[in-house]
Amino acid sequence: EEVPARQMGFLSFQRGFLLDARRYLEQAVSDDPDDYEAALKLAWTFNALKRDDEAVRWFSVARKSPNRDVAEEAARAHRNLTEVESPVVSTVWALPMYSSRWNNLFAYSQGKTEFFKNSPVLPYASVRFMGDARQKLGGPFPQYLSETAFVPGVGARTRPWHGVVGWGEAGVAVSYIHRQDGTARFTPDYRGGASWTRGFGHLLGAPSPGRFSEINADAVYVSRFDNNTLFYAQHRAGYTPRKSESLGVMEWQVYLNTNVTLDAKRQYWANFAEIGPGIALRWKHWPPALRFTVNALRGFYLRSEGNPGKPNFIDIRVGFWYAFSR
């Protein structure tokens, strides 16, 4: 019998699984907008995640509760937050990764400071980093394996709507190496797009074992890629076993990856599909947003024109994902 989202949310919050608590409690208040106790718990979850703009909104909802204790607790928290709320919040995410296909270490990251406004659009200042250890493959016409650049910029994003976020930014890409492919050291960089994320079932950190599914979809325009738009769809479906007490309360899951990448200009390097097994894990003492992953993928190019290599490939990817806000 499936456990109700409300109960899963309360249990996840109690045990410190804040990301799962947020997801389950959002589902609970969506199912029953008059569940003010779930709204209050969701507000405390966002407060613990350092997302006080969202916490204020849900405390405001919970203030309308007919239950006096819930309403008073929400009112006190709302008053305290609105009196001391910082005008900005900073977020950092990082994805260091090893790829056997290229025998290379890659790193992708972004630091972003958002400015709170009472509008559906949040302006921000950002610095992105995209780089790798090898930098390029040899030969008279070297192939670069990443953007090898820092990209400071300014932009804006929408608040999530049914899991969808739209964003856009303008900046300057500053290459940290001298490239031989004609790329200038300083290049205007305009990018934007939309992303959608959805999770189902027993995600990593859930209080009970079971099946899960996660979907991430993105459409990204990048001016430096010859004004190209890329489309990414990543799906993971698998099973989250019971926590392993013998390994120091390790949480883990096994799954099957199904990934597709396409682009508007139909270039071979941006049109491929991947499939293969993976495993993700984290230990109890790790931060909630830190996880270690290993994925074994079989890839297939969907277009052959201009491809100097084989039509398929095998790649073992090992990496970490980490994010935090303050």
Side-chain angles (χ1 to χ4, degrees), residues 73-113:
E73 180 180 345
R76 285 194 302 271
H78 184 275
R79 183 170 57 253
N80 291 337
L81 278 180
T82 53
E83 288 176 353
V84 302
E85 181 184 2
S86 170
V88 299
V89 62
S90 296
T91 301
V92 175
W93 63 263
L95 176 62
M97 176 183 64
Y98 169 78
S99 167
S100 67
R101 179 188 178 196
W102 304 109
N103 188 26
N104 197 7
L105 290 171
F106 295 88
Y108 307 93
S109 64
Q110 181 186 24
K112 179 172 66 174
T113 297

Side-chain angles (χ1 to χ4, degrees), residues 205-283:
S208 60
R211 292 176 295 178
F212 79 95
S213 177
E214 288 181 294
I215 304 173
N216 297 282
D218 294 89
V220 182
Y221 164 82
V222 184
S223 64
R224 291 196 302 125
F225 292 174
D226 192 24
N227 295 310
N228 201 357
T229 301
L230 293 93
F231 305 92
Y232 305 92
Q234 299 175 319
H235 179 237
R236 299 193 306 166
Y239 189 81
T240 302
R242 193 174 304 277
K243 299 180 183 66
S244 174
E245 301 289 342
S246 62
L247 296 176
V249 194
M250 184 184 76
E251 301 159 1
W252 60 293
Q253 57 186 191
V254 291
Y255 50 84
L256 178 69
N257 293 283
T258 307
N259 307 325
V260 177
T261 299
L262 304 170
D263 82 319
K265 293 184 176 291
R266 307 180 71 184
Q267 302 182 62
Y268 85 87
W269 58 267
N271 288 266
F272 60 92
E274 299 172 319
I275 188 169
I279 183 171
L281 57 87
R282 64 179 301 277
W283 273 267

Side-chain angles (χ1 to χ4, degrees), residues 163-200:
V164 178
V165 174
W167 60 279
E169 66 183 63
V172 177
V174 183
S175 179
Y176 58 85
I177 64 171
H178 175 71
R179 295 176 60 127
Q180 298 174 316
D181 60 354
T183 301
R185 181 63 62 90
F186 299 91
T187 307
D189 186 288
Y190 306 99
R191 60 182 70 202
S195 64
W196 178 71
T197 302
R198 191 69 184 270
F200 306 89

